[in-house]
Amino acid sequence: MSDGQKLNYILWHQHDIQEDTIAIWSCSNPRQFEITKAEDVKLKFDPIQLAEAPHRGEVLDMRVIEGRHPILVTASSMGEISLYKTSVEGGKPSIDRVATHRHHGFPDLGIAEATSIAIRPQALNEIASVGEDSRLVLTGVNNIQKTLQRSGRIGTGLSAVCWRSSSSLAVATKTGQLRLFDRRNIVKSMIRTIQDPYQRDLLTCITQHPTEVHKLATGNEDGVISIWDVRNISKPETKVIRAHNSIIWEVKFHPNQPDKLISCSQDGTLATLNWKQAMDDYVSDATSTRDEHIATYWSSIRNVLSVNSIDYHNRANVLLAGSDSGGILHSVQ
């Protein structure tokens, strides 16, 4: 798939009573989708579904491994990691599941949700996943049936994972902690457990700054974003900002403007937040309502339900978000 073709597609997950699916939708001119008025959304955004494939269980996380034929990696409520191959033949896109394996579960109780996945940077040959079974699992892209490493149980449930480098990982827990790991031996080499003494809410998501690799951002169930500085691993610094009024489902550093964060929430909003300004000029005590003077919020009269997932196309400069309402929020940045 060429760069031009990549601009034309959106990967989407649909969940209903009958079955879960992964789908590819046409998006030939992203810039036409900028929202100027909420009532114009339907007229300006009319995607066409091009292909779909079944998915076992709800999709709880989704990542793409770029290449001539991009590979889509998903984490499932069934505890499974799945690979889907996308291609274009005769001008028609297709998406096909090529491998599935259950990596998360309880010995006696069975299924545990696979809550988050991350692709090893640079090499792109390894998948890290975490789950409700409190385990971090590493598996190879070329053979996901084979477990490369599996940690012991870590706390009482893991909610998110990211690679800090090709040799280290960070994991967020449901007790508000960060766990840092050395990839070479995740069973014995947990580098450090970090917790902000003032923030003990469940961490729901985690991301790393694209250039300042000592900085991590997390969102929690109370609408708070934390910026973690782990340069001094024995005395890490944490700053908090109330970004939303409810659970933060996903947070990302803006790829083209890394002084900004993008987040989405159960409160039905999508936000861009100037975290540098927040750190320099104003730090919330995280007890009041969201800090609207350092953030821009998007919502729509057509969307009153949770905004669950976000992505940013850094060539087209288009911000997209998926909602429980079945709609897509979008903006040209």
Side-chain angles (χ1 to χ4, degrees):
M1 191 179 296
S2 69
D3 286 346
Q5 287 173 313
K6 287 177 189 174
L7 288 173
N8 296 340
Y9 306 124
I10 299 173
L11 290 164
W12 195 254
H13 164 240
Q14 180 172 320
H15 170 69
D16 57 33
I17 296 174
Q18 295 181 341
E19 68 173 1
D20 293 274
T21 61
I22 295 289
I24 299 176
W25 297 75
S26 172
C27 177
S28 58
N29 183 9
R31 290 187 177 276
Q32 72 179 320
F33 303 146
E34 182 174 11
I35 298 176
T36 54
K37 297 179 181 178
E39 58 268 24
D40 290 342
V41 174
K42 188 173 181 180
L43 295 176
K44 289 180 173 289
F45 193 80
D46 188 21
I48 301 171
Q49 182 173 309
L50 303 178
E52 71 173 356
H55 189 274
R56 284 169 51 87
E58 293 184 52
V59 176
L60 300 185
D61 202 0
M62 185 163 52
R63 295 288 181 266
V64 174
I65 302 174
E66 295 286 357
R68 185 167 178 268
H69 297 295
I71 297 172
L72 176 66
V73 186
T74 66
S76 166
S77 59
M78 303 290 290
E80 297 174 343
I81 307 302
S82 296
L83 301 184
Y84 289 79
K85 193 165 283 186
T86 63
S87 59
V88 178
E89 295 184 7
K92 184 178 180 181
S94 65
I95 180 168
D96 300 289
R97 184 170 58 201
V98 294
T100 297
H101 188 72
R102 181 174 295 167
H103 283 285
H104 295 277
F106 298 103
D108 301 322
L109 301 177
I111 294 171
E113 292 183 346
T115 52
S116 179
I117 51 177
I119 310 301
R120 185 182 177 194
Q122 286 91 46
L124 302 179
N125 62 352
E126 201 165 294
I127 303 164
S129 65
V130 294
E132 284 193 331
D133 58 354
S134 301
R135 296 184 188 275
L136 167 63
V137 177
L138 301 184
T139 186
V141 172
N142 293 330
N143 184 3
I144 65 167
Q145 282 79 20
K146 181 180 180 180
T147 299
L148 301 177
Q149 294 190 63
R150 183 187 300 273
S151 75
R153 295 194 67 215
I154 308 166
T156 57
L158 305 180
S159 51
V161 61
C162 75
W163 290 85
R164 298 189 59 227
S165 69
S166 62
S167 60
S168 62
L169 302 105
V171 169
T173 78
K174 293 189 175 183
T175 54
Q177 297 176 330
L178 287 188
R179 305 285 182 101
L180 306 182
F181 287 87
D182 186 330
R183 169 201 164 269
R184 291 168 291 186
N185 190 337
I186 64 172
V187 177
K188 296 182 179 179
S189 299
M190 186 173 71
I191 301 169
R192 180 71 65 173
T193 298
I194 304 171
Q195 182 151 26
D196 181 347
Y198 302 103
Q199 296 293 319
R200 297 184 180 273
D201 295 285
L202 182 157
L203 297 178
T204 53
C205 49
I206 185 171
T207 190
Q208 179 170 304
H209 193 283
T211 57
E212 298 179 48
V213 295
H214 55 277
K215 282 190 169 65
L216 296 163
T218 59
N220 76 8
E221 64 179 348
D222 198 35
V224 171
I225 289 177
S226 296
I227 309 295
W228 307 72
D229 188 327
V230 296
R231 275 175 292 192
N232 184 347
I233 200 70
S234 60
K235 292 183 179 180
E237 296 180 5
T238 309
K239 302 294 185 181
V240 296
I241 311 151
R242 181 171 294 279
H244 294 274
N245 294 330
S246 187
I247 300 169
I248 297 174
W249 290 123
E250 194 165 6
V251 62
K252 293 176 181 287
F253 285 96
H254 194 298
N256 298 334
Q257 304 172 61
D259 288 354
K260 292 183 179 180
L261 283 166
I262 306 168
S263 59
C264 61
S265 170
Q266 182 81 28
D267 67 10
T269 61
L270 166 67
T272 58
L273 171 74
N274 190 324
W275 67 270
K276 280 280 192 178
Q277 179 185 340
M279 297 301 98
D280 295 340
D281 300 339
Y282 180 86
V283 177
S284 169
D285 60 5
T287 58
S288 59
T289 58
R290 65 192 189 192
D291 300 323
E292 301 205 24
H293 70 291
I294 54 169
T296 302
Y297 292 89
W298 281 271
S299 60
S300 166
I301 59 172
R302 295 178 181 273
N303 178 73
V304 295
L305 301 178
S306 175
V307 180
N308 303 323
S309 183
I310 51 177
D311 203 358
Y312 190 91
H313 197 299
N314 60 3
R315 290 191 298 275
N317 295 322
V318 174
L319 174 62
L320 293 169
S323 165
D324 269 354
S325 66
I328 300 174
L329 298 175
H330 45 276
S331 174
V332 176
Q333 299 293 290

